[in-house]
Amino acid sequence: MTDPAQTAGESGRVASWRLLLGNPVTLFSAAVLAAVVVVAVFAGWLAPYGVNDIDVPSALQSPSGAHWFGTDELGRDVLSRVLAAVQASMRVAVVSVVFAVVVGVTIGVLAGYLGGWVDTVFMRVVDVVFAFPVLLLALAVVAVLGPGVTTTILAIGIVYTPIFARVSRASTLSVRVEPFVAVSKTMGTGHLYILGRHILPNIAGPLIVQTSLSLAFAILSEAALSFLGLGIQPPQPSLGRMIFDSQGFVTLAWWMAVFPGAAIFVIVLAFNLLGDGLRDVLDPKQRTMIEARRKQ
């Protein structure tokens, strides 16, 4: 005999996938991000030149067959440096957001599920951190601990932790009052089982959307810190640092700023568009509204 709840769940998943695949913008952004992931993984093999190979006689050459993105003031291949910088930016963004997800979700779920003084203490600390502007707090962390990749990851992870804590707490507060959670408690089920079996799966949707958006902002934060000289340090290339170094050559070599800037723009836009598409699929209200509009 078929379980009605299981059948309804499968139907919902099918509808969600159909809605996702029917959105060309979301599919295009997913394809762009897939290409970015390939670049981030295989940048060392894709780069036609060494990222720090200096060739002064070839300095400031415009884009050509030999150097698709041109060369910088030291004759280094801009394409190779952009590929390596995308790899570094993605690594920083992914690790820092994973840190924020783990810490933020743990704090938010415990605060929302346990309530009482735990909720009060945890969320007041989160509110204090959340009150600071993102970039200002990241700058403060880096200024205290010193510039570098590890510090950049930690700074970005810290500033985005409150966002995940607030999102997960709000979702947990709505899920913990559901009948299936109450029934599970009356049966004597342990808290860890309830959190893992009932709470986390039902708050995954908003967290997935927030993760996609936070990855976009993490890319921007890393670029900003590197532009200010507090992020990834030379000789390792970074998109923000490449834009900073191009300031004195804007009129002579536009490609030094355009291609790193375009890389940031494309990656951030793709993450944001993917986040919007996932929100439409994972949010029942949004999905219902879209399906109603399509039927009209």
Side-chain angles (χ1 to χ4, degrees):
M1 185 175 179
T2 305
D3 186 356
Q6 182 178 359
T7 303
E10 293 176 354
S11 300
R13 285 191 293 270
V14 171
S16 298
W17 278 108
R18 186 183 298 113
L19 186 63
L20 182 64
L21 296 176
N23 189 336
V25 175
T26 304
L27 290 179
F28 178 75
S29 62
V32 170
L33 291 177
V36 171
V37 170
V38 171
V39 168
V41 174
F42 301 105
W45 289 274
L46 295 174
Y49 300 91
V51 295
N52 291 311
D53 290 349
I54 298 176
D55 185 12
V56 177
S58 301
L60 300 179
Q61 286 189 359
S62 60
S64 62
H67 300 280
W68 289 4
F69 287 4
T71 60
D72 62 8
E73 75 278 11
L74 298 177
R76 296 173 296 188
D77 183 63
V78 175
L79 172 59
S80 300
R81 293 179 63 79
V82 167
L83 293 176
V86 169
Q87 182 184 54
S89 295
M90 287 295 294
R91 180 171 62 249
V92 169
V94 170
V95 176
S96 60
V97 171
V98 168
F99 172 87
V101 169
V102 173
V103 177
V105 171
T106 301
I107 293 174
V109 169
L110 290 178
Y113 180 76
L114 298 177
W117 68 267
V118 175
D119 184 24
T120 302
V121 172
F122 280 6
M123 297 316 297
R124 292 300 76 77
V125 174
V126 167
D127 289 341
V128 170
V129 178
F130 193 73
F132 289 92
V134 171
L135 186 57
L136 180 62
L137 181 57
L139 287 172
V141 174
V142 174
V144 171
L145 300 179
V149 176
T150 303
T151 306
T152 302
I153 292 173
L154 182 61
I156 296 175
I158 289 174
V159 299
Y160 287 110
T161 294
I163 299 176
F164 287 96
R166 291 165 69 96
V167 171
S168 58
R169 174 184 177 270
S171 300
T172 302
L173 287 174
S174 62
V175 173
R176 74 172 186 176
V177 297
E178 294 291 338
F180 56 84
V181 176
V183 170
S184 188
K185 288 181 178 179
T186 57
M187 295 175 61
T189 306
H191 295 302
L192 290 178
Y193 181 85
I194 294 175
L195 290 173
R197 183 67 176 83
H198 298 304
I199 302 295
L200 289 177
N202 285 282
I203 68 172
L207 293 177
I208 293 173
V209 175
Q210 185 59 52
T211 299
S212 178
L213 298 177
S214 294
L215 285 169
F217 292 120
I219 293 288
L220 286 175
S221 299
E222 185 278 320
L225 290 174
S226 296
F227 181 87
L228 297 173
L230 298 174
I232 299 173
Q233 298 298 297
Q236 184 178 3
S238 64
L239 297 173
R241 185 69 187 186
M242 292 177 69
I243 295 175
F244 176 83
D245 293 337
S246 69
Q247 290 181 102
F249 304 92
V250 173
T251 58
L252 297 175
W254 54 266
W255 51 89
M256 289 178 58
V258 168
F259 290 115
I264 296 174
F265 173 78
V266 170
I267 295 173
V268 172
L269 180 63
F271 272 123
N272 277 285
L273 292 177
L274 181 63
D276 290 340
L278 291 175
R279 183 194 59 192
D280 294 339
V281 171
L282 298 174
D283 187 349
K285 294 181 180 179
Q286 291 284 341
R287 184 169 64 241
T288 302
M289 291 173 58
I290 293 175
E291 291 177 346
R293 285 200 300 265
R294 288 185 175 181
K295 291 178 180 179
Q296 290 178 355

